[in-house]
């Protein structure tokens, strides 16, 4: 027996690492990081969502109206009758001398908007191209927003993907109780549309006798209080600012130790917020979330710094969910559930059992083939294969990766690919031995000659796996992940590890026992 060399030392450390960090997943212990099972293996929630993309147009018009109000008033241009009529924003510039300046400012600030002016009466509408872009953006943004919300919620590898032109597929593994399911559905569907709106102080006393149609004539809207729906507020329909200017939202606690949400605005939002509060001392400003008033405090002084607070008798879970929704961004258009299925774990148990059988059967057949065909060289390759499997499980456990059925298929495929490198190496060694080379020379040149082919094959496969992971979703990502880890692990075990073992065993390999060591007769 030869001495330990650095290759064998690295291989032993890799094997110990693989065994130690894969045990929590294999034994399903309470301690240590474990692999998470995907929806197809442990069950969960499957939903198909529809997107009301037409609502995104209404939100866009509100945003345009808010921009018009701020930009023109900031430039001392007096306007009147600002409102949204159907699919248009209309207003009137009172001073004829300000009309050219108003046109210039709006053309600079507003993109994709058609501006028509007639004797100081302005009509703004979205161009057909902008309407199509806004609807598409609403769906794409809904996919990203829902995925961000579920990720921040702490769910492992949820699948959120666009399906068709106006539908979204959502799959969330591990949802087992109706309470969890309801909480996730509410988190997904929450619009999280934050607005700061001025209270119409001149007509506020008439809110309980005023109809929504009458309020609309004055450019107002009637919204309920979140704590008491019977309590109403008459608010200016054009918001001061909205959640698009929000940069952060975190849960905090007020003086009574009740959960509240502290939020921060970007530079533009902070400037608008500061200017409005400075001009509105003594008046009320309502904080509105999803068309419900959470608070309407009186402004005592100019509020600078771009920060604020939302309180509303939240539970801690509710506050966390609202903060997540605000941080991940408001939905441009509301979503609704078109189809919902709760998938039980029985299918997963059956899938795991069948995949495990396939993995064990494939592993045993490969092990036996290598030993029968290559002798001790095959056994050395099998040791590398075992180390490879432990490394795959360990790395996936450390990163908290999700194992899906395609991912298990990737592991089964890796079993075959992991010994492929050693097959090439063993054949090179056998060729050199048959040609009369010495055993040390055959081993060294065998590895040297085989390395280029192994490297090229593994790199091209790894590139394909990386592309699959980058552009795939859900199960495709799982397959690509296990393939990538398996390829990298096989480079360590099959090339570095087995080479070190040969070097360590070299004094024991005799010319007259080549059939035992390499399965050939010379």
């Amino acid at each position: 027996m030869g001495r330990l060399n650095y290759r064998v030392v690295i291989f032993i450390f890799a094997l110990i690492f693989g065994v130690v960090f894969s045990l929590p997943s294999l034994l399903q212990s309470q301690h240590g990081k474990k692999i998470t099972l995907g929806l197809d293996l442990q069950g969960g929630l499957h939903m198909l969502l529809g997107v009301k993309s037409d609502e995104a147009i209404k939100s866009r018009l509100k945003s345009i109206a808010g921009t018009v109000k701020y930009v023109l008033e900031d430039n001392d241009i007096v306007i009147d009758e600002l409102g949204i009529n159907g699919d248009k924003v209309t207003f009137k510039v009172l001073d004829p001398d300000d009309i050219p300046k108003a046109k210039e400012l709006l053309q600079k600030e507003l993109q994709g908007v058609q501006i028509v002016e007639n004797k100081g009466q302005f009509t703004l509408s979205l161009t057909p191209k902008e309407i199509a872009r806004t609807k598409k953006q609403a769906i794409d943004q809904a996919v990203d927003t829902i995925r961000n919300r579920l990720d921040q919620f702490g769910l492992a590898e949820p699948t959120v993907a666009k399906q068709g032109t106006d539908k979204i597929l959502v799959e969330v593994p591990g949802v087992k109780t109706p309470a969890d399911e309801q909480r996730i559905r509410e988190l997904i569907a929450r619009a999280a549309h934050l607005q700061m709106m001025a209270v119409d102080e001149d007509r506020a006393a008439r809110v309980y006798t005023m109809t929504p149609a009458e309020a609309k004539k004055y450019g107002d809207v009637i919204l309920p209080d979140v704590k008491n729906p019977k309590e109403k507020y008459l608010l200016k329909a054009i918001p001061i600012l909205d959640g698009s200017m929000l940069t952060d939202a975190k849960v905090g606690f007020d003086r009574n130790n009740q959960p509240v949400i502290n939020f921060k605005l970007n530079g533009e939002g902070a400037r608008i917020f500061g200017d409005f509060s400075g001009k509105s001392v003594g008046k009320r400003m309502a904080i509105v979330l999803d068309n419900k008033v959470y608070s309407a405090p009186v402004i005592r002084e100019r509020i600078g710094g771009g920060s604020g607070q939302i309180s509303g008798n939240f539970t801690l879970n509710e506050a966390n969910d609202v903060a997540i929704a605000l941080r991940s961004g408001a939905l441009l258009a509301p979503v609704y559930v078109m189809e919902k299925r709760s998938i039980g774990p029985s299918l997963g148990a059956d899938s795991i059992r069948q995949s495990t059988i396939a993995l064990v059967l494939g592993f045993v057949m490969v092990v036996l083939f290598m030993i029968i065909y290559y002798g001790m060289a095959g056994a050395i390759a099998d040791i590398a294969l075992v180390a490879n499997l432990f490394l795959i499980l360990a790395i996936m456990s450390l990163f908290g990766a999700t194992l899906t059925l395609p991912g298990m298929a990737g592991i089964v495929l890796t079993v075959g690919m992991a010994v492929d490198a050693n097959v090439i190496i063993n054949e090179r060694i056998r060729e050199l031995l048959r040609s009369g080379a010495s055993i040390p020379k055959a081993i060294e040149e065998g590895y040297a000659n085989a390395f280029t082919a192994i490297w090229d094959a593994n790199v091209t496969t790894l590139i394909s796996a990386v592309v699959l992971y980058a552009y795939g979703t859900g199960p495709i990502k799982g397959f690509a992940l296990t393939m990538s880890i398996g390829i990298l692990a096989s480079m360590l075990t099959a090339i570095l590890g087995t080479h070190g073992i040969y070097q360590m065993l070299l004094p024991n390999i005799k010319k007259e026992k080549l059939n035992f060591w390499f399965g050939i007769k010379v």
Side-chain angles (χ1 to χ4, degrees), residues 23-341:
L23 281 179
S25 294
L26 293 172
L27 301 178
Q28 286 299 299
S29 64
Q30 296 297 320
H31 304 287
K33 293 186 176 181
K34 296 187 286 293
I35 294 173
T36 304
L37 299 181
L39 182 72
D40 51 356
L41 296 180
Q42 68 166 327
L45 181 64
H46 167 100
M47 290 190 295
L48 186 65
L49 307 176
V51 181
K52 298 179 181 178
S53 54
D54 288 340
E55 293 296 320
I57 304 300
K58 296 179 181 178
S59 297
R60 181 85 165 87
L61 291 172
K62 278 188 178 181
S63 178
I64 290 170
T67 301
V68 168
K69 179 178 175 62
Y70 179 75
V71 169
L72 296 186
E73 288 184 355
D74 193 47
N75 285 273
D76 298 322
I77 297 175
V78 181
I79 61 173
D80 193 17
E81 301 174 9
L82 176 63
I84 299 170
N85 299 307
D87 59 353
K88 295 178 175 62
V89 176
T90 59
F91 64 93
K92 188 173 184 179
V93 174
L94 298 182
D95 188 344
D97 293 337
D98 288 335
I99 292 174
K101 186 179 178 182
K103 274 186 180 180
E104 183 182 348
L105 288 169
L106 294 178
Q107 286 170 350
K108 181 180 177 182
E109 290 289 334
L110 302 174
Q111 304 296 323
V113 176
Q114 191 173 19
I115 302 172
V116 177
E117 182 269 327
N118 182 23
K119 297 180 180 178
Q121 184 69 40
F122 280 75
T123 302
L124 311 183
S125 59
L126 296 174
T127 63
K129 184 177 179 180
E130 184 67 11
I131 290 173
R133 191 196 68 81
T134 301
K135 288 184 176 182
K136 181 179 182 299
Q137 183 187 13
I139 297 168
D140 293 341
Q141 186 256 10
V143 171
D144 292 338
T145 298
I146 291 170
R147 184 182 294 120
N148 288 338
R149 289 180 183 181
L150 294 178
D151 285 343
Q152 292 185 43
F153 189 75
L155 296 168
E157 290 292 331
T159 297
V160 183
K162 187 176 176 181
Q163 190 159 307
T165 57
D166 59 350
K167 299 179 184 66
I168 300 172
L169 173 68
V170 178
E171 292 182 336
V172 185
V175 180
K176 295 180 174 63
T177 66
D180 286 343
E181 180 183 316
Q182 182 63 26
R183 189 177 173 193
I184 289 168
R185 287 178 63 185
E186 289 176 358
L187 180 64
I188 289 172
R190 186 186 293 274
H193 189 202
L194 176 68
Q195 295 174 301
M196 295 185 188
M197 307 174 77
V199 175
D200 187 345
E201 301 288 2
D202 296 334
R203 304 176 183 85
R206 297 171 49 197
V207 65
Y208 294 102
T209 59
M210 191 179 291
T211 64
E214 187 179 356
K216 188 177 180 180
K217 290 181 181 178
Y218 295 114
D220 293 340
V221 63
I222 300 172
L223 295 180
D225 184 88
V226 68
K227 303 172 191 174
N228 180 12
K230 292 182 179 180
E231 186 176 348
K232 307 289 184 182
Y233 291 88
L234 186 66
L235 308 175
K236 297 290 186 181
I238 306 302
I240 302 158
L241 51 82
D242 60 27
S244 64
M245 300 175 187
L246 187 124
T247 59
D248 193 17
K250 293 180 180 177
V251 176
F253 295 89
D254 61 14
R255 293 176 182 176
N256 299 319
N257 207 32
Q258 293 297 310
V260 295
I261 299 163
N262 298 312
F263 63 86
K264 290 184 179 180
L265 302 168
N266 62 16
E268 181 186 2
R271 183 164 56 88
I272 295 173
F273 193 26
D275 289 350
F276 174 81
S277 59
K279 296 175 183 175
S280 307
V281 173
K283 298 180 181 179
R284 288 177 294 167
M285 181 189 69
I287 297 177
V288 180
L289 183 63
D290 294 340
N291 292 323
K292 292 180 181 177
V293 178
Y294 278 71
S295 61
V298 176
I299 299 171
R300 301 298 182 189
E301 60 183 358
R302 185 183 186 278
I303 304 171
S307 60
Q309 188 179 89
I310 305 173
S311 58
N313 285 343
F314 296 110
T315 65
L316 189 57
N317 278 344
E318 287 172 344
N320 274 320
D321 291 350
V322 172
I324 287 170
L326 288 172
R327 282 198 305 272
S328 60
L331 293 172
L332 295 178
V335 298
Y336 60 97
V337 178
M338 299 178 66
E339 176 187 328
K340 178 182 76 71
R341 293 200 308 269

Side-chain angles (χ1 to χ4, degrees), residues 381-399:
D382 291 337
I383 294 171
L385 177 60
V386 172
N388 182 273
L389 288 174
F390 277 120
L391 276 175
I392 292 173
L393 295 176
I395 294 171
M396 291 184 69
S397 298
L398 281 177
F399 285 98

Side-chain angles (χ1 to χ4, degrees), residues 305-375:
S307 60
Q309 188 179 89
I310 305 173
S311 58
N313 285 343
F314 296 110
T315 65
L316 189 57
N317 278 344
E318 287 172 344
N320 274 320
D321 291 350
V322 172
I324 287 170
L326 288 172
R327 282 198 305 272
S328 60
L331 293 172
L332 295 178
V335 298
Y336 60 97
V337 178
M338 299 178 66
E339 176 187 328
K340 178 182 76 71
R341 293 200 308 269
S342 293
I343 300 173
S346 58
L347 173 64
D350 186 55
S351 300
I352 292 172
R353 184 173 62 255
Q354 292 181 358
S355 299
T356 303
I357 292 171
L359 178 60
V360 171
L361 186 61
F363 178 79
V364 170
M365 291 179 69
V366 168
V367 165
L368 290 176
F369 169 80
M370 292 298 290
I371 293 174
I372 292 169
Y373 195 76
Y374 290 110

Side-chain angles (χ1 to χ4, degrees), residues 401-471:
T402 299
L403 181 63
T404 60
L405 197 57
M408 294 191 76
I411 294 176
V412 174
L413 184 58
T414 300
V415 169
M417 292 181 62
V419 296
D420 185 53
N422 286 118
V423 168
I424 297 172
I425 291 166
N426 288 341
E427 287 299 328
R428 294 290 183 271
I429 293 173
R430 288 167 71 162
E431 287 173 5
L432 288 163
L433 289 172
R434 287 192 183 101
S435 65
S438 65
I439 293 173
K441 183 179 179 182
I443 291 173
E444 294 304 317
E445 290 191 8
Y447 273 90
N449 295 339
F451 181 78
T452 303
I454 296 168
W455 174 260
D456 290 347
N458 281 327
V459 167
T460 52
T461 307
L462 184 61
I463 290 171
S464 301
V466 169
V467 171
L468 278 176
Y469 187 85
Y471 293 99

